[in-house]
């Protein structure tokens, strides 16, 4: 999922360079949403691992 967030971020940067404002803002928005989802899932996984008593 982090890969998709990075992919949409790169698309947003390229679109912004070429002046496609709508595409750039849409891609940036998708990248932000995917990054937040990835971050939440990562935190949940770390908490679940800590509750089970496993060490990292």
């Amino acid at each position: 999922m982090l890969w998709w967030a990075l992919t949409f971020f790169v698309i947003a940067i390229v679109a912004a360079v070429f002046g496609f404002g709508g595409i750039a803002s849409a891609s940036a928005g998708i990248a932000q949403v995917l990054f937040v989802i990835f971050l939440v899932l990562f935190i949940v996984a770390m908490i679940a691992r800590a509750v089970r008593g496993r060490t990292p």
Side-chain angles (χ1 to χ4, degrees):
M1 185 157 316
L2 184 59
W3 176 253
W4 284 109
L6 291 174
T7 302
F8 279 108
F9 178 71
V10 169
I11 291 172
I13 296 295
V14 170
V17 167
F18 288 119
F20 300 117
I23 296 171
S25 64
S27 295
I30 292 170
Q32 287 176 344
V33 169
L34 289 176
F35 181 74
V36 168
I37 291 171
F38 169 76
L39 194 60
V40 168
L41 289 175
F42 177 72
I43 291 170
V44 168
M46 295 304 288
I47 291 172
R49 187 177 184 114
V51 168
R52 290 185 188 164
R54 294 183 183 175
T55 58

